[in-house]
């Protein structure tokens, strides 16, 4: 089953996650590509896209600073689709330059540049997230804040399924949406639990076809810091969360891939 996984290695954050060292996991070394942290120039983005080529069903991106790689993965989808994004941030900020894409602008750019992207559902964001949605995108972005999810989980789940109007869905997961008991990233965190996230993913997969899934939110690691107590704890939690997510997601993908048809909610 691990042959359905691609790991994009920008910064060695996966070196200590032993389950991703399986020989069936497809790894792409991107450490030599310059100027990729947080921001990326358009020419560099095209170079990365060429190096990546076609990925597997599940792609690990690295820490959240590289979340803009999702833009590349979305751009390959050739029919109308919905993006379901689990993130504590909206990533809909305007890029500081037309020549750059960033981890904070990629959702906005996807909505502006990818005609097959019909709608974005952002799940688990902070309460102030709404103020970062440009007025031009009202109606194309649905927000489910962490407070709303905590108080109205069943209602939110019903709404999420109702709002997905396309047969095809792409799922992007930034682990900063999770409570710090579940994962540790370099960004501020939400309060979602792993099992809540998986409940939502499973329900989507029951009723829609999944074009791909990416996961990011690793804690930055270097050879100088990898043995520090905080780093060791972060690696342990993140590795567990990643393996837990993949185990269930690949199991459900295998089941739905054999279904005779995709059901509709």
């Amino acid at each position: 089953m691990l042959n359905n996984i691609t790991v994009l290695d920008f910064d060695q954050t996966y070196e200590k996650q032993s389950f991703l060292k399986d020989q069936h996991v497809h790894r792409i070394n991107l450490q030599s590509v310059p100027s990729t942290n947080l921001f990326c120039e358009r020419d560099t983005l095209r170079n990365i896209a060429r190096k990546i080529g076609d990925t597997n069903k599940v792609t690990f991106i690295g820490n959240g600073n590289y979340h803009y790689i999702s833009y590349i993965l979305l751009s390959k989808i050739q029919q109308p689709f919905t993006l379901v994004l689990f993130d504590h941030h909206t990533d809909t900020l305007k890029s500081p330059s037309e020549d750059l894409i960033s981890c904070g602008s990629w959702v906005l750019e996807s909505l502006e540049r990818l005609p097959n992207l019909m709608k974005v559902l952002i799940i688990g964001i902070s309460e102030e997230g709404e103020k970062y949605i440009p007025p031009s995108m009202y109606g194309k972005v649905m927000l489910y804040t962490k407070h709303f999810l905590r108080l109205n989980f069943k209602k939110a789940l019903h709404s999420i399924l109702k709002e997905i109007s396309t047969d095809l869905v792409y799922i992007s997961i930034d682990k900063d949406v999770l409570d710090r008991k579940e994962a540790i990233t370099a960004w501020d965190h939400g309060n979602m639990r792993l099992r809540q996230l998986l409940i939502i993913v499973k329900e989507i997969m029951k009723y829609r076809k999944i074009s791909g899934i990416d996961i990011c939110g690793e804690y930055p690691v270097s050879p100088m810091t990898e043995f520090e107590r905080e780093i060791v704890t972060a690696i342990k939690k993140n590795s567990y969360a990643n393996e837990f997510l993949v185990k269930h997601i690949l199991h459900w993908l295998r089941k739905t891939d054999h279904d005779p048809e995709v059901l509709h909610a």
Side-chain angles (χ1 to χ4, degrees), residues 96-188:
S97 167
E98 285 294 320
D99 297 325
L100 298 173
I101 189 171
S102 77
C103 61
S105 72
W106 70 272
V107 172
L108 177 61
E109 300 209 23
S110 296
L111 285 164
E112 292 177 337
R113 296 170 179 257
L114 304 179
N116 284 323
L117 177 55
M118 300 292 104
K119 185 181 286 188
V120 178
L121 280 60
I122 308 178
I123 302 172
I125 65 163
S126 61
E127 303 311 305
E128 61 269 18
E130 186 173 0
K131 68 182 181 182
Y132 298 112
I133 305 299
S136 61
M137 294 301 159
Y138 291 168
K140 295 201 73 173
V141 179
M142 284 291 297
L143 305 179
Y144 298 88
T145 68
K146 60 183 182 182
H147 180 70
F148 179 74
L149 285 162
R150 183 171 62 86
L151 296 179
N152 306 278
F153 186 77
K154 289 185 178 180
K155 183 177 180 180
L157 180 56
H158 178 77
S159 175
I160 289 165
L161 296 175
K162 185 177 180 181
E163 287 293 332
I164 300 174
S165 60
T166 58
D167 289 338
L168 197 62
V169 172
Y170 186 96
I171 298 174
S172 182
I173 301 170
D174 188 331
K175 291 195 296 295
D176 69 14
V177 77
L178 296 170
D179 190 286
R180 284 179 65 87
K181 294 176 183 177
E182 305 273 21
I184 300 177
T185 76
W187 297 83
D188 57 299

Side-chain angles (χ1 to χ4, degrees), residues 172-234:
S172 182
I173 301 170
D174 188 331
K175 291 195 296 295
D176 69 14
V177 77
L178 296 170
D179 190 286
R180 284 179 65 87
K181 294 176 183 177
E182 305 273 21
I184 300 177
T185 76
W187 297 83
D188 57 299
H189 273 257
N191 58 7
M192 187 176 288
R193 306 311 294 255
L194 266 173
R195 292 190 181 277
Q196 289 178 311
L197 191 156
L198 279 168
I199 287 170
I200 299 172
V201 171
K202 183 177 181 179
E203 288 302 304
I204 293 171
M205 293 174 72
K206 281 170 61 177
Y207 299 110
R208 295 290 185 269
K209 183 178 179 182
I210 305 300
S211 65
I213 298 172
D214 67 53
I215 302 171
C216 71
E218 308 313 312
Y219 197 87
V221 179
S222 74
M224 298 292 291
T225 64
E226 62 180 296
F227 297 110
E228 294 178 4
R229 181 178 298 179
E230 181 184 3
I231 304 298
V232 171
T233 300

